[in-house]
Amino acid sequence: MGGKVTCTLGEVKQRADFIVYWGGNPAECHPRHFTKYTIMQKSKFLPRGRKDRTMVLVDIRETKSAKAADIFLQVKPGKDFELITILRALIKDQHVGDEQIAETGMTRAGLDDLVHRMKSCKFGVFFFGMGLSMTRGKHMNSAALLTLAAEMNAFTKFVAMPMRGHGNVTGADVIMRWQTGYPFGITFNRGYPRYNPGEFSTVDVLVRGDCDAAFIIGADPGATMPQPAIDHLARIPTICLDPHVTHTSRLARVHITTAAQGISAPGTAYRMDELPLPLKPALKSPYPSDEEVVRRINEAIAKKPFWLPDGSQPQVVTAIG
Amino acid sequence: MLKITGGKVYDPANEINGQIKDLCIDDNGRFVESVSGGRTIDATGMIIFPGGVDVHTHVAGGAMNFARAMTPEDHRRTQAFIRTQSRRSGLGGMAPTTFATGYLYAGMGFTTVNEAAVPVLSARHTHEELADIPIVDKATLTLMANNEIMLDQMQAGEYERAKNVVAWYLWAAKSYGVKAVNPGGVAAWKWGSDAKQLNDPIAGYSSLTPGKIVTMLATICDDLQLPHPMHLHCNNLGAPGNISTTLDTLKHLEGHRAHIAHSQYHAYGGDDWDTMCSATSQLAEYFNTHPNITTDAGAVLFGDTVTITADGPWQHLLYKLTGRKWGNLDVENETGCGIVPYTYRPSNLVNAVQWASGLELMLLIKSPWQVFLSTDHPNGGCFWRYPEIIQLLMCADFRKECIAKLPDKIKNRITLPEIDREYTLYEVATSMSAGPARALGLHQKGNLGIGCDADLVIYEEEIDIARMFSHPRYVIKAGEIVIEDGDIRETPHGREFLVKPSYAPETDEFMRPLFEDCYTMQFDNYPVEIERIENPDVRILPGS
């Protein structure tokens, strides 16, 4: 288990005749997804657009996205992993008991139909949202769905993609990966990058009270993190870069107002399929961009004495085994 | 200014083979006749090579970054670079981070690298990653052989249009040349199939075959007068018996220049995995009689690595064979990409054949101006293991010791045991520097002549060849001492080489509607802005 079988959104627009949204509500959370990339687009291979495509929604409740779906499957809360595992068995014609199917809220006829459609499409895609990745089972649910997509390639073309959001998180992931090898949950406290989500993730470091300063950029943890983390942010010198007044800026020791990316500051944003898009500002801002502020802070830090004593060199570390 | 005295110089571009010669470098980082003042390095008893040039590697871009994300278990056990005043932190291993990539290449005496597979759609990302690879100079190749807009023109027999489209894409990507991966096969993979035979129509096309793509694209590269010819990853990679496909591909290239990438993966006989054997002697014979074609070895070293290629269908097969992690990323209209971690084992007969085949090609192809040192990093092994290959090439006895450790069944499947040739230092310098530089059309590289870029590496002569090549005494990049006594001293920014080919001015308007039909970003945002490239070195091609 592991890896990810995916594509850029243009491939979905061009080819996907079978689209599953799992644990997400694109009609309200990604309102342009249907029209720009998935069900509404006509293409060389799918000239009739919506009529040439089938859309399935899997969710625990009937959201607005259900109206756009051809098939709505209401899975019982917390049973996504079980349902995906049943599908992995069914595509390989393995036996699944009736009671196991009933436990997920599905019917055998419904699942047989779904499996038939998955296998007979020309290009299938799973889009999965936080309803899958942030509920019981968490990353195990995502891994199971990614594995199902990989295994479907024994029968037809199939891919999967997370429905990411919240500004440019994908861009942060991408750059952390090329500079450190890891996407998030990284510590540099030994002078080189180490990774352990659950230990070095921001929320864990804050809740434990491990850091004695915080620098917040492009995020509002004061609004979303658990109270012990917020309490620690208020306790230590917190510096916040944000165009707006936010929960975090209110508790920060320093708030530097910056220009809004894409509106009054240029830059690059990564789409959910990891394509970099250039941002061209439409307006001018009296405030500096995030980049300029960080660059000036870096220049100021460079003038301070280095963290190692003069003339000493750290040794290259090679882990044993 | 810098003067290097008393060293034994190996400079194949100027036919200097171990003569003692002084080298002078001016403040512009070029070799000059003489300098007065500045530092002098006494290289008496040492060996001087031009800085290494990697003709085919994967060090940056969406695929490499995907591989980094997929292999945290390797990052944890690998070499860590701690931040110092002169260098940033990072990780080595099979998919090194950007800063570490620069340090590792320079630490081994390499000063120029060619990132061999870039989709135009994510070229912006690739250039930004390359800007974070310090010290070395860089070039990129654009993936073209499965670009559907171009394939449609080829299918329609519109050669001129196809040529304009290729030139337009090269400039949009700010790239140095054309890469072709599994022509037609990756386009077919978009529907879950592949293209293995040169003369069968490709899935989704009525008459277009991989053979036609190969010939037309090679002609386009010649007509555009690209400094580096078409860089081709042939169809049917990795499969037993694929030598027939490779030789057939080469026939489609008659009369053209071309560079065949990682030919080790394309030189197998046999009918299936059980009977797979090396067919390198047939391929080497072709190279020995066709000096218009160059290649790199794509040699395999035993151990863990991660395979990365635009050849999506092959990676699906490798995933099915190994059951390990599988990453796949199809790129709209342009290409695909697959990632599978892999371990080459000496006990595995297929892997043993691959290991021998890479070395056989390097030893059987007579001219080191035609076959270059590569592992197709990270596919056959990591680039920082090149010194191990040099040792295998230079020491027949060591090679025999290694062969003795392979399973007995290997004996009649490979020809390596019968080869006694040993590379000389002059041949190593040709294969790791002068040859690839010439094939890339980078005449100021791999050359210690007056006026060339002062990139060079100084080794202390040692009996242990692998140690000697992995621990240079000095590495000098553009006249600056970047490595001295095993330490990174300076980490300057390298340049990026790119070409500006000519295309008909109406190509923009021709492309726009086709683009809007299949892509999902704005046409005007698609081409990479030249301002995004750090230190661009643009070569204007004839006609533009």
Side-chain angles (χ1 to χ4, degrees):
Chain A
M1 212 188 260
K4 181 166 79 172
V5 178
T6 190
C7 64
T8 63
L9 285 165
E11 283 296 295
V12 176
K13 167 186 152 180
Q14 286 274 71
R15 294 168 207 265
D17 56 349
F18 187 75
I19 296 153
V20 182
Y21 286 99
W22 195 307
N25 179 10
E28 290 181 284
C29 302
H30 295 82
R32 302 270 279 150
H33 214 255
F34 290 156
T35 49
K36 280 192 85 175
Y37 307 121
T38 61
I39 55 178
M40 303 311 290
Q41 283 280 348
K42 291 178 181 171
S43 79
K44 179 163 69 166
F45 306 114
L46 303 163
R48 296 185 306 152
R50 182 69 187 88
K51 292 191 189 111
D52 283 332
R53 306 188 196 243
T54 305
M55 178 193 147
V56 178
L57 178 73
V58 185
D59 208 344
I60 55 164
R61 69 177 79 84
E62 201 168 335
T63 61
K64 275 194 182 166
S65 298
K67 286 197 191 73
D70 297 298
I71 299 165
F72 171 59
L73 299 173
Q74 190 161 4
V75 61
K76 284 196 181 157
K79 294 294 173 189
D80 297 277
F81 185 86
E82 286 80 350
L83 178 54
I84 296 165
T85 310
I86 288 169
L87 287 173
R88 287 183 59 200
L90 289 178
I91 60 168
K92 290 170 231 165
D93 296 322
Q94 289 166 350
H95 173 72
V96 178
D98 287 335
E99 67 284 6
Q100 287 161 313
I101 292 176
E103 198 185 311
T104 64
M106 299 290 130
T107 63
R108 186 174 292 277
L111 291 189
D112 283 346
D113 175 59
L114 181 65
V115 167
H116 174 72
R117 287 171 187 270
M118 281 163 60
K119 285 189 176 181
S120 54
C121 74
K122 280 187 150 176
F123 188 114
V125 54
F126 292 119
F127 288 105
F128 57 101
M130 291 203 286
L132 186 72
S133 62
M134 287 295 161
T135 54
R136 183 173 169 266
K138 290 200 169 181
H139 62 279
M140 295 302 288
N141 296 342
S142 312
L145 193 70
L146 291 169
T147 308
L148 174 61
E151 289 174 347
M152 276 304 297
N153 281 272
F155 309 101
T156 185
K157 184 81 186 173
F158 231 97
V159 297
M161 195 186 299
M163 294 288 281
R164 306 199 68 176
H166 293 284
N168 196 9
V169 286
T170 309
D173 263 26
V174 164
I175 292 176
M176 291 309 280
R177 257 152 54 199
W178 89 50
Q179 297 201 339
T180 73
Y182 307 118
F184 49 75
I186 305 159
T187 179
F188 292 95
N189 63 5
R190 287 188 189 164
Y192 67 96
R194 290 184 304 142
Y195 171 66
N196 197 14
E199 184 182 7
F200 303 138
S201 316
T202 317
V203 61
D204 304 289
V205 172
L206 287 172
V207 168
R208 285 198 311 272
D210 272 3
C211 57
D212 53 12
F215 187 85
I216 314 280
I217 178 165
D220 188 11
T224 52
M225 284 199 176
Q227 196 58 44
I230 296 171
D231 291 346
H232 190 66
L233 278 177
R235 219 165 16 236
I236 58 177
T238 293
I239 304 157
C240 170
L241 267 55
D242 207 297
H244 314 288
V245 172
T246 64
H247 289 87
T248 311
S249 78
R250 283 202 191 94
L251 60 80
R253 217 67 70 82
V254 178
H255 173 203
I256 301 173
T257 307
T258 51
Q261 295 290 326
I263 296 170
S264 48
T268 311
Y270 279 74
R271 211 164 67 178
M272 63 169 70
D273 55 359
E274 298 195 356
L275 279 193
L277 301 176
L279 300 176
K280 295 176 179 168
L283 303 173
K284 282 192 175 144
S285 168
Y287 301 110
S289 68
D290 291 328
E291 191 210 357
E292 192 190 336
V293 172
V294 174
R295 189 165 40 74
R296 283 165 60 183
I297 292 173
N298 265 336
E299 282 166 10
I301 291 173
K303 290 184 188 135
K304 304 228 166 193
F306 192 60
W307 65 286
L308 281 167
D310 235 11
S312 69
Q313 286 275 337
Q315 296 301 303
V316 170
V317 178
T318 307
I320 296 160
Chain B
M1 276 181 293
L2 187 64
K3 191 170 183 180
I4 300 152
T5 59
K8 259 197 275 183
V9 176
Y10 292 87
D11 179 15
N14 298 298
E15 295 179 16
I16 294 169
N17 183 3
Q19 281 99 308
I20 311 273
K21 193 172 176 280
D22 292 351
L23 297 169
C24 298
I25 299 164
D26 70 3
D27 286 335
N28 300 319
R30 300 236 156 80
F31 291 111
V32 288
E33 291 285 359
S34 62
V35 287
S36 56
R39 183 174 168 184
T40 299
I41 293 177
D42 180 6
T44 308
M46 299 186 201
I47 290 169
I48 301 182
F49 270 35
V53 178
D54 200 336
V55 74
H56 185 106
T57 184
H58 304 286
V59 289
M64 191 26 139
N65 222 23
F66 201 155
R68 290 184 189 113
M70 271 174 59
T71 55
E73 70 282 6
D74 182 65
H75 302 332
R76 176 145 296 198
R77 69 188 172 193
T78 192
Q79 184 187 25
F81 286 82
I82 295 179
R83 178 173 167 243
T84 70
Q85 259 170 313
S86 61
R87 72 174 194 235
R88 298 188 56 173
S89 69
L91 298 168
M94 52 207 202
T97 60
T98 48
F99 305 119
T101 299
Y103 308 147
L104 285 166
Y105 259 118
M108 196 175 62
F110 274 63
T111 47
T112 307
V113 300
N114 182 32
E115 161 56 59
V118 181
V120 190
L121 197 58
S122 58
R124 188 173 272 114
H125 168 134
T126 308
H127 289 299
E128 291 190 351
E129 261 196 56
L130 287 175
D132 272 353
I133 297 182
I135 305 176
V136 295
D137 288 337
K138 294 144 282 202
T140 62
L141 302 179
T142 297
L143 291 160
M144 283 307 305
N146 294 284
N147 185 306
E148 289 157 42
I149 291 178
M150 183 199 76
L151 295 186
D152 289 346
Q153 299 312 312
M154 287 183 168
Q155 158 100 353
E158 295 275 359
Y159 173 79
E160 275 303 314
R161 280 255 168 83
K163 189 177 90 174
N164 282 321
V165 167
V166 172
W168 185 91
Y169 270 112
L170 285 184
W171 183 238
K174 300 296 176 284
S175 136
Y176 186 71
V178 169
K179 172 76 176 298
V181 172
N182 187 357
V186 184
W189 170 242
K190 303 279 177 78
W191 296 119
S193 60
D194 195 356
K196 291 188 179 299
Q197 296 307 323
L198 272 278
N199 299 316
D200 294 345
I202 297 158
Y205 291 87
S206 60
S207 63
L208 190 66
T209 63
K212 285 183 189 164
I213 302 175
V214 166
T215 309
M216 272 207 208
L217 204 50
T219 315
I220 287 171
C221 292
D222 285 348
D223 286 354
L224 291 174
Q225 302 191 40
L226 298 178
H228 184 51
M230 177 174 69
H231 194 108
L232 175 63
H233 158 141
C234 299
N235 298 72
N236 212 4
L237 172 139
N242 65 6
I243 183 68
S244 59
T245 316
T246 311
L247 291 173
D248 199 9
T249 306
L250 288 164
K251 281 197 199 106
H252 282 83
L253 289 168
E254 293 281 352
H256 297 285
R257 301 177 303 153
H259 178 86
I260 306 296
H262 41 70
S263 48
Q264 179 275 127
Y265 288 106
H266 303 277
Y268 307 139
D271 303 314
D272 52 31
W273 296 115
D274 292 331
T275 57
M276 182 174 142
C277 59
S278 157
T280 49
S281 49
Q282 289 177 64
L283 191 55
E285 192 183 305
Y286 189 93
F287 283 106
N288 287 336
T289 51
H290 292 78
N292 54 323
I293 313 274
T294 55
T295 188
D296 60 273
V300 157
L301 288 165
F302 296 122
D304 289 323
T305 193
V306 56
T307 64
I308 302 177
T309 170
D311 200 337
W314 166 255
Q315 293 297 74
H316 180 228
L317 177 73
L318 199 59
Y319 154 72
K320 287 194 287 183
L321 282 171
T322 62
R324 292 178 71 164
K325 300 177 195 180
W326 174 34
N328 179 81
L329 175 62
D330 293 338
V331 179
E332 59 208 52
N333 185 62
E334 293 179 10
T335 182
C337 143
I339 294 132
V340 180
Y342 193 78
T343 306
Y344 292 98
R345 292 187 174 87
S347 56
N348 176 317
L349 268 185
V350 171
N351 294 163
V353 167
Q354 293 177 311
W355 174 84
S357 298
L359 298 172
E360 284 168 13
L361 280 168
M362 294 207 71
L363 293 161
L364 292 173
I365 298 173
K366 288 180 189 138
S367 168
W369 289 98
Q370 262 184 290
V371 60
F372 312 133
L373 183 61
S374 88
T375 54
D376 184 15
H377 166 77
N379 288 295
C382 302
F383 68 81
W384 42 267
R385 296 181 66 190
Y386 286 172
E388 297 175 43
I389 301 175
I390 298 175
Q391 183 178 23
L392 286 161
L393 295 173
M394 288 187 70
C395 314
D397 288 343
F398 176 65
R399 220 154 56 214
K400 292 213 162 67
E401 277 171 39
C402 294
I403 294 169
K405 290 179 195 154
L406 299 179
D408 281 343
K409 276 196 277 182
I410 196 79
K411 293 230 169 79
N412 46 14
R413 293 164 187 260
I414 57 173
T415 53
L416 192 62
E418 294 135 44
I419 305 172
D420 293 323
R421 179 177 166 196
E422 288 183 336
Y423 266 54
T424 61
L425 285 172
Y426 187 72
E427 287 172 326
V428 173
T430 313
S431 181
M432 74 171 243
S433 177
R438 186 178 287 181
L440 284 167
L442 292 171
H443 301 297
Q444 72 279 42
K445 296 290 177 192
N447 187 331
L448 303 179
I450 301 301
C452 293
D453 291 352
D455 301 346
L456 63 103
V457 47
I458 304 177
Y459 303 102
E460 282 202 82
E461 197 158 7
E462 278 195 57
I463 295 166
D464 184 341
I465 299 290
R467 202 191 130 69
M468 171 177 140
F469 279 97
S470 50
H471 296 83
R473 178 74 186 270
Y474 300 94
V475 178
I476 293 160
K477 167 74 200 344
E480 200 170 356
I481 300 170
V482 292
I483 306 280
E484 183 170 358
D485 298 338
D487 267 340
I488 297 167
R489 291 291 155 92
E490 298 293 336
T491 55
H493 281 295
R495 283 179 292 166
E496 239 201 280
F497 299 107
L498 47 118
V499 295
K500 187 172 196 311
S502 67
Y503 53 85
E506 61 271 21
T507 311
D508 267 318
E509 287 322 301
F510 170 74
M511 286 292 300
R512 188 182 287 271
L514 298 174
F515 182 96
E516 283 168 357
D517 188 42
C518 53
Y519 283 89
T520 48
M521 71 185 284
Q522 292 294 320
F523 183 69
D524 296 324
N525 284 341
Y526 180 75
V528 179
E529 310 87 327
I530 190 83
E531 298 76 31
R532 291 234 179 204
I533 318 279
E534 211 161 69
N535 307 330
D537 186 319
V538 185
R539 190 180 306 193
I540 312 279
L541 298 184
S544 66

